[in-house]
Amino acid sequence: MALQEQKNNPLHGLTLEFIVKQLFFHYGWEEMGNLVKIDCFKNNPTLKSSLKFLRKTDWARKKVEKLYLNTFH
């Protein structure tokens, strides 16, 4: 049943690191900070610090995932 549910999930199989890297390559940190209003993209951003914040902050992760879907799908 879980496999059936994942079939329609466009994020299935994508890691958060992959998503953040793709957005960074496409937009850069500054534009990502403008599109998703979170400090980890605006103040001294790094991949490591962004992933740490996004992994523990559900609402922010959802915004980043939505930006990814809106950008690439």
Side-chain angles (χ1 to χ4, degrees), residues 1-57:
M1 183 71 169
L3 184 62
Q4 183 74 20
E5 292 170 11
Q6 290 298 320
K7 188 169 65 172
N8 295 323
N9 179 355
L11 297 174
H12 180 67
L14 301 181
T15 65
L16 185 58
E17 182 175 357
F18 175 84
I19 290 169
V20 172
K21 281 182 176 178
Q22 293 303 305
L23 290 171
F24 168 72
F25 294 144
H26 189 79
Y27 291 113
W29 293 123
E30 185 176 350
E31 186 61 18
M32 285 171 65
N34 291 332
L35 294 167
V36 181
K37 308 274 193 252
I38 50 178
D39 284 342
C40 70
F41 292 161
K42 292 182 169 217
N43 298 326
N44 195 24
T46 65
L47 180 62
K48 184 178 178 180
S49 66
S50 297
L51 290 173
K52 183 177 179 182
F53 175 77
L54 293 170
R55 285 181 177 133
K56 67 180 182 181
T57 313

